[in-house]
């Protein structure tokens, strides 16, 4: 027999609301400060310049490509970390999640010394006429480097919380591992995969340090929206504020529209 909850019952202690509200203010107040600084009359003119449109378009294209790479590479990585029994799995996980705590500029330097003209891999590509550093490909690699752990963390958590019994039943019925993955595992963790992809996309849109260090700032080629904002900060502060607001709005839409609304049904 299920007991009815008392009216007004909550599992959240009252005192928790105070630090929660303070934490919300830490995030919301800077956004309100940005809004207060925007000149509404000249907003459209500030964000519609040729360089601004080029930067926004480049950011959206590279973020989409980087997110696709994160899904293609991060899904197998999460599966291995969550399901496979490997010696040194802790060290492997630490290395995979390293970009989460690594300063982005350090990641950019690491990418430059790997794929640059004289880098570990780049020096072997250069004779074939393949140059990666300071190209649009470098932007995609930099964004993928910093965003990949977001997908791995989200999907690995979903895999660990999903019951493995369905997979075992499918395997005992003769299903091949690939069939189990396609028909059972992925449908079970699809919300986690979608959440990780959205977080990766949002992180790619905001990437700055690794991109500037590894790809530079060439208009139409490597100058993404965060780099455009950084350059305008000194020459045209109003345009920098307007573009910052655009980036905030895009990020909020990407994360907000992809977050499922929890619905609770009341009992009588």
């Amino acid at each position: 027999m299920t007991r009815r909850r008392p009216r007004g019952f909550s599992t959240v202690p009252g005192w928790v609301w105070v630090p929660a509200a303070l934490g919300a203010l830490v995030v919301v107040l800077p956004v309100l400060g940005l809004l207060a600084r925007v000149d509404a009359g000249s907003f459209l003119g500030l964000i519609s310049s040729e360089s601004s449109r080029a930067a926004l378009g480049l950011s959206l294209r590279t973020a989409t490509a980087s997110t696709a790479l994160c899904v293609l590479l991060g899904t197998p990585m999460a599966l291995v970390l969550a399901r496979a029994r490997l010696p040194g799995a802790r060290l492997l996980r630490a290395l995979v999640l390293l970009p989460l705590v690594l300063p982005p500029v350090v990641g950019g330097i690491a990418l430059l010394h790997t794929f640059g003209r004289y880098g570990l891999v780049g020096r072997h590509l250069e004779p074939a006429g393949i140059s990666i550093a300071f190209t649009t490909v470098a932007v995609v690699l930099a964004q993928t480097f910093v965003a990949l752990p977001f997908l791995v963390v989200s999907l690995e958590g979903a895999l660990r919380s999903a019951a493995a019994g369905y997979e075992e039943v499918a395997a005992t019925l003769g299903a091949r591992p690939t069939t189990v993955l396609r028909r059972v595992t992925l449908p079970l963790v699809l919300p986690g995969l979608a959440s990780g992809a959205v977080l990766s996309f949002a992180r790619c849109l905001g990437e700055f340090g690794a991109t500037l260090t590894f790809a530079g700032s060439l208009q139409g080629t490597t100058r993404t929206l965060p780099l455009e904002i950084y350059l305008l900060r000194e020459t045209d502060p109003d345009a920098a504020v307007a573009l910052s607001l655009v980036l905030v709005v895009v990020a909020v839409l990407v994360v907000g529209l992809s977050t499922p609304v929890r619905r609770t049904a009341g009992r009588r």
Side-chain angles (χ1 to χ4, degrees):
M1 181 177 177
T2 305
R3 293 185 178 181
R4 293 183 59 186
R5 285 184 174 185
R7 186 177 296 275
F9 174 81
S10 174
T11 58
V12 180
W15 61 266
V16 171
W17 288 93
V18 176
L22 291 174
L25 286 176
V26 170
V27 177
V28 173
L29 279 179
V31 177
L32 294 178
L34 194 65
L35 280 170
R37 180 66 175 77
V38 172
D39 184 0
S42 58
F43 179 76
L44 290 178
L46 292 172
I47 66 172
S48 59
S49 65
E50 182 181 351
S51 61
S52 299
R53 286 187 281 109
L56 177 58
L58 180 65
S59 289
L60 293 175
R61 292 194 302 272
T62 55
T64 301
S66 301
T67 303
L69 272 178
C70 288
V71 172
L72 290 174
L73 302 177
T75 302
M77 291 168 63
L79 282 166
V80 169
L81 290 175
R83 290 288 190 262
R85 295 180 180 178
L86 293 174
R90 278 186 158 182
L91 177 60
L92 177 61
R93 182 177 292 102
L95 291 174
V96 169
L97 303 184
L98 185 62
L100 286 176
V101 296
L102 202 65
V105 67
V106 175
I109 292 174
L111 289 169
L112 190 60
H113 285 285
T114 302
F115 298 102
R117 178 175 296 181
Y118 304 106
L120 183 65
V121 176
R123 63 189 176 194
H124 300 293
L125 299 176
E126 207 53 43
I130 301 175
S131 180
I132 295 179
F134 306 105
T135 65
T136 305
V137 175
V139 177
V140 174
L141 281 177
Q143 291 176 349
T144 303
F145 177 81
V146 300
L148 186 60
F150 287 87
L151 187 133
V152 174
V153 167
S154 296
L155 187 54
E156 185 189 2
L159 284 165
R160 290 188 182 279
S161 60
Y166 297 107
E167 299 169 353
E168 295 171 359
V169 169
T172 56
L173 292 175
R176 296 177 179 273
T178 302
T179 304
V180 175
L181 173 65
R182 180 171 54 89
R183 300 292 296 274
V184 180
T185 307
L186 288 181
L188 280 174
V189 298
L190 194 58
L193 178 59
S195 175
V198 168
L199 288 175
S200 297
F201 184 81
R203 180 64 185 87
C204 290
L205 279 180
E207 163 50 32
F208 174 79
T211 303
L212 181 62
T213 308
F214 180 44
S217 180
L218 305 173
Q219 184 174 344
T221 304
T222 64
R223 187 178 299 171
T224 56
L225 195 56
L227 271 65
E228 178 74 8
I229 293 170
Y230 180 76
L231 292 175
L232 289 173
R233 187 176 57 91
E234 297 293 338
T235 60
D236 193 349
D238 290 336
V241 170
L243 288 177
S244 298
L245 184 59
V246 169
L247 195 56
V248 168
V249 170
V250 172
V252 169
L253 288 175
V254 168
V255 176
L257 293 178
S258 63
T259 303
V261 179
R262 294 185 63 183
R263 296 179 180 177
T264 56
R267 298 191 180 198
R268 293 184 179 181

